[in-house]
Amino acid sequence: MKFFVDTADIDAIRDLAATGLLDGVTTNPSLVSKTGRDFFDVLKDICETVDGPVSAEVTATDYDGMITEAERLRKVADNIAVKVPLTRDGLKACKDLTEDGATVNVTLCFSPAQALLAAKAGASFISPFIGRHDDIAQDGMKLIEDIRVIYDNYDFDTEILVASVRHPLHVVQAAMIGADVCTVPPAVLAKLFDHPLTDKGLAAFLADWEKSGQKILG
Ligand code: E4P
């Protein structure tokens, strides 16, 4: 499963890119707005830092506006993935942009039927929002299971990009279902590294090594 980070904060992205474990980045208008920076400066910085797909979302809601904005976004870098909303106009734009060679991430997916339409429109990625389902007492992860079945039934190439991830268990469950990508906020990604028994075990090994008086170097 690929790991994308769900942020527009360039410092957090640089920090994670240094681990060698980062496969891409997703942004959305809310995340960009939070940085207080110019959208295109943010995108340029991210695309210079990460080789994988960097999702940049259109804000037009009509087909013509989305296509025009997508053209501008695609000029930023070759690894821009144009993010369009899962609406009629968004899927029409997805089809035409994909045919024109763009990488397209269809966002704001909340049902298996919507995911099926996005795959038929040739989306590179479908972004089902699981946390926002959980927020209204619906099982977000069931949506991922259903989309996996549908896409496998028909060998769709569209990658399932699990979005709106809130905690490490979401990441593990997405991986067990066989999602292609999980986009994770930096704070949740940081938690994936941690286990108290790792810390405890390391402290015990180091204490015993100290007692032995030996050194690997010198
Ligand atoms: C990713 O592409 C989405 O924009 C993001 O995961 C939404 O997450 P949220 O529901 O926590 O805002």
Side-chain angles (χ1 to χ4, degrees), residues 5-16:
V5 66
D6 196 26
T7 185
D9 177 344
I10 189 62
D11 292 330
I13 293 166
R14 286 191 180 124
D15 188 45
L16 286 159

Side-chain angles (χ1 to χ4, degrees), residues 6 26-28 30-31 55 57 83 105 107 127 129 131-132 135 161-166 183 185:
D6 196 26
T26 50
T27 69
N28 63 38
S30 305
L31 293 171
S55 288
E57 190 159 340
K83 217 174 179 191
N105 176 359
T107 190
S127 290
F129 279 32
R132 294 191 193 187
D135 288 346
L161 195 173
V162 179
S164 187
V165 165
R166 300 282 157 78
T183 190

Side-chain angles (χ1 to χ4, degrees), residues 90-181:
L91 290 187
K92 188 169 177 248
C94 171
K95 190 154 193 338
D96 289 350
L97 288 166
T98 304
E99 278 171 10
D100 192 44
T103 302
V104 181
N105 176 359
V106 176
T107 190
L108 290 165
C109 171
F110 290 94
S111 80
Q114 289 181 314
L116 175 58
L117 293 179
K120 287 183 71 67
S124 317
F125 299 103
I126 182 68
S127 290
F129 279 32
I130 56 171
R132 294 191 193 187
H133 264 295
D134 293 357
D135 288 346
I136 56 165
Q138 290 184 357
D139 185 356
M141 209 47 74
K142 175 74 169 60
L143 175 59
I144 305 302
E145 283 174 6
D146 291 349
I147 299 172
R148 181 75 282 159
V149 170
I150 292 168
Y151 282 11
D152 288 350
N153 280 348
Y154 298 98
D155 283 335
F156 282 124
D157 291 333
T158 303
E159 294 188 53
I160 303 173
L161 195 173
V162 179
S164 187
V165 165
R166 300 282 157 78
H167 48 69
L169 189 56
H170 275 155
V171 179
V172 174
Q173 289 171 332
M176 290 182 71
I177 293 167
D180 302 284
V181 191

Side-chain angles (χ1 to χ4, degrees), residues 71-93:
E71 277 166 14
R72 174 76 180 84
L73 293 170
R74 289 172 73 188
K75 285 192 181 126
V76 172
D78 288 342
N79 56 333
I80 285 287
V82 179
K83 217 174 179 191
V84 299
L86 209 155
T87 58
R88 281 177 185 242
D89 283 43
L91 290 187
K92 188 169 177 248

